[in-house]
Each structure stands twice: as structure tokens, then as C-alpha cells.
Amino acid sequence: MKSDIQKVNTLADHFEHLFQSHTYNQTGNDEQDTPHPLGTTKLPATPIEKFTVAEVRVAINKLRSTKAPGYDLITGEILKKLPEVGLSAITYIYNSILRTGYFPGQWKVSQVVTILKPGKPAEDVKSYRPISLLPILSKVFEKLFITPIQPILQSTQIIPDHQFGFRSKHSTIEQVHRITNIIHRAIENKQYCAAAFLDISQAFDEVWQ
């Protein structure tokens, strides 16, 4: 039986080997020839308006008290009990991010917690699913930032209609309806309908970002 320290070191070695930067051998003008949706001229020139203390307070009050904190141990309950001067300081930091375009590096540092996958052997390091706990202050900023960005994304159609992941009012069942509708239409028109389904193991860990 391994000790807790041995288990932690084993998992740490596994994740250190797993989370390696992807080596991309770029040739020619691949970067220039690849179109990017953010390169469109449809984006508005006006910057996002500053956040107010009231908006920050509302976003913090919507936090679940049971939400796990990041490595800084700042919980949602702590943020809810901040005085006005504390909320003003957070609002100043958030608006500084908008003004400078710099997101604090410390808010990108996550605490990794492992959860054993159902029915998997506990002695195998691949049986554990890593959960990254980010600082709650960074999540509050994301909630505030997505509100003014969402109408821009919709009006400029940067995100294609067939992209359903992490989008409101785009559930899995609606995606299934879209696919079955395409199949039915092909059958009615006496056409062939081909589909390719790709399932990649540890896709997020291996993808080139």
C-alpha cells in the first residue's frame, strides 16, 4: 500500500509527462494562409465599457457558496462579505485588465484535484480525472466579461451556428435534432448521407492551442 506522499508524487509525475507543450513544425506560410475568425473587420472599434461596483457586486452575489476555491483559498462566501472598499479595489483591477489587455498570470494558476473515474482501478494513474480549480476572482471576471462580448459574437457571427459547445441555448439534444434533420432531408431527396464521428482520448491535454 502506497503512502499519500507516494500517491501524490506518482500522480504528479504522470501529469507532468502528460501536459507537455505540443511541438508544431510549421512550414511555409501555414500561419498566414490559415484564416482566423478574429481577423474579420466586422469587430466593433469601440472598447467594452468599464465595469461598475454594482455589477461586480451582483456577479459576486450570484456565486454559489459551496463552490470550491482555487489555490488562494478565497471562497465565494469571503467575497460576498467584502466591504465597499474591497469591491471598489476588485472593480479597479477588472477595469485595469480591460484597459491594458493583460490578464494576471496568477489567475491562470490552478490547483489540480484528482477524481477516480467510475469503475476504474484505483491503482492506475490513468483512472483519475484531473479537475482544475482556478481562483474565483478570475471566474467572476469571466462572468462579467462574457456579458458585453456575447452580443458582439452573435451580431458578427464569429462563432458558427453548428458550434454547440459552451453556448447558451445550444444543448446536446438540439445538436442531435440538427443531425437527424440533415439525415431525413437526404433520405427524402434520395441522396447519400455520410457522417464521421471522431473520439479523441485526452483531447484537451494533447491539442495544439
Side-chain angles (χ1 to χ4, degrees), residues 11-106:
L11 287 170
D13 292 339
H14 170 66
F15 291 133
E16 182 181 6
H17 174 74
L18 182 64
F19 300 133
Q20 295 290 333
S21 299
H22 183 84
T23 302
Y24 175 59
N25 298 321
Q26 182 176 331
T27 58
N29 297 322
D30 294 346
E31 185 78 16
Q32 290 75 15
D33 294 341
T34 304
H36 195 282
L38 294 181
T40 177
T41 57
K42 298 179 181 178
L43 292 176
T46 54
I48 298 175
E49 295 183 2
K50 292 182 178 180
F51 302 126
T52 64
V53 176
E55 290 174 331
V56 174
R57 184 188 299 108
V58 170
I60 289 177
N61 288 335
K62 289 182 179 180
L63 290 171
R64 298 197 308 270
S65 299
T66 57
K67 195 172 187 63
Y71 74 95
D72 56 5
L73 301 181
I74 298 178
T75 64
E77 195 64 28
I78 292 176
L79 295 178
K80 290 179 181 180
K81 293 181 179 179
L82 283 176
E84 194 71 14
V85 63
L87 292 174
S88 298
I90 294 175
T91 305
Y92 179 81
I93 294 174
Y94 287 166
N95 287 328
S96 297
I97 295 175
L98 292 181
R99 185 179 67 256
T100 62
Y102 174 78
F103 191 81
Q106 288 298 318

Side-chain angles (χ1 to χ4, degrees), residues 119-182:
K120 298 293 184 179
E123 63 274 8
D124 188 356
V125 291
K126 296 181 180 180
S127 300
Y128 292 86
R129 178 181 290 108
I131 304 297
S132 298
L133 301 178
L134 290 167
I136 291 183
L137 280 172
S138 68
K139 296 181 180 180
V140 174
F141 175 79
E142 291 175 1
K143 292 288 186 183
L144 291 166
F145 187 71
I146 194 63
T147 301
I149 284 295
Q150 204 69 268
I152 297 176
L153 296 177
Q154 294 174 355
S155 61
T156 56
Q157 296 181 337
I158 292 177
I159 301 178
D161 292 336
H162 56 266
Q163 169 64 37
F164 274 59
F166 304 101
R167 297 183 67 187
S168 60
K169 300 180 181 179
H170 286 70
S171 65
T172 305
I173 189 66
E174 290 174 330
Q175 182 72 302
V176 173
H177 287 164
R178 188 180 74 88
I179 295 176
T180 53
N181 182 49
I182 295 174

